[in-house]
Amino acid sequence: MSTLTTVLIIAAVVAALLAAGVLLRARTGTGSGTRSLKRRFGPEYDRTLERHGGDSEAAHRDLRERVERHGHIRPLPLEPAAREQYAAQWTTLQERFVDAPRQAVADAEQLLTRIAAARGFPDPDRRDEQLDALSVHHPHHVDGLRTIGRAARSESASTEQLREALVHARALFEDLAVAGPPAGADARKGPASGRGRGHLLKPKGSGV
C-alpha cells in the first residue's frame, strides 16, 4: 500500500469520525431539550404532543413559546381571608352538586378562573391565555380546568362525568387557593386555618 493511499484512508476515517461526532452532538442536544421540557411540563408535554398530532417540533415550539410569554409571572400570594373565602365557596359548590350538578360544575370553573386572576394570571375573559399561563406554572393540574370547562359546556355530560370533572379540577383549586404561603406576616403560620384540606376533600353529603 502506497503512502498516498494510507494518507487518504486515514483522512477518510478522520472525516467520518468528525461527522459522527457532529451528528451525535446534534442528537444529544435535541434529546436534552426534550427531556428538559418533559421534566418541566410533565403530563402537559404529552397532551401538547398529542394535540400536535405527534409532531415533536411543533409541540416543543408551542411549549417554549408559552414559557417565553408566561414564565416571568410570579404568582401573587393570597391573604388568609381570601383563602378562607375561596375554601368556603368551593365547599359550598361541592355540597350543592347533589341537587344541581351542572350548575355546581359551571360555578367551579368560574371560581377557578377568578382565583387564577387574583393570583396574577391572565383574566378569565382571556381563557386560552390563562390556560397557557397556568400550564407553565401548574402543568400537572391545569388540565382540570380544561376538563371542567368541557363538562360545563357539554349538554350530554352525565352526572358521573360532571362529578369526575369536579374531582379532577380540585387539585388545581388546591394548588391555587390552598398550597403555598399566604400573604403578609401570616405566611409563617402555613396554610389558612379553619377549613382544612381534609374538609375540602370530604364535603358533607356531596359524594365528591
Side-chain angles (χ1 to χ4, degrees), residues 103-200:
Q103 185 60 50
V105 166
D107 290 346
E109 181 193 15
Q110 292 178 12
L111 178 58
L112 284 171
T113 59
R114 289 202 310 272
I115 299 173
R119 295 295 309 275
F121 293 99
D123 291 333
D125 58 356
R126 296 148 62 194
R127 177 179 172 78
D128 290 342
E129 192 174 349
Q130 187 184 72
L131 282 167
D132 282 352
L134 287 170
S135 75
V136 173
H137 295 269
H138 299 279
H140 290 273
H141 298 143
V142 64
D143 200 54
L145 181 54
R146 296 193 191 101
T147 300
I148 206 169
R150 288 193 298 267
R153 292 165 181 73
S154 173
E155 297 181 357
S156 60
S158 66
T159 300
E160 177 59 20
Q161 289 172 325
L162 293 170
R163 187 194 71 82
E164 290 176 354
L166 186 58
V167 170
H168 188 34
R170 186 166 54 205
L172 180 60
F173 167 77
E174 293 182 351
D175 268 6
L176 292 172
V178 179
D186 287 340
R188 295 188 298 273
K189 299 179 181 178
S193 59
R195 295 178 182 270
R197 193 179 185 92
H199 184 79
L200 292 174

Side-chain angles (χ1 to χ4, degrees), residues 78-109:
L78 293 175
E79 296 290 344
R83 288 173 179 255
E84 291 285 350
Q85 182 181 23
Y86 291 139
Q89 291 175 8
W90 187 268
T91 298
T92 297
L93 66 86
Q94 285 187 128
E95 293 170 345
R96 199 165 61 238
F97 180 88
V98 175
D99 297 320
R102 191 174 300 280
Q103 185 60 50
V105 166
D107 290 346
E109 181 193 15

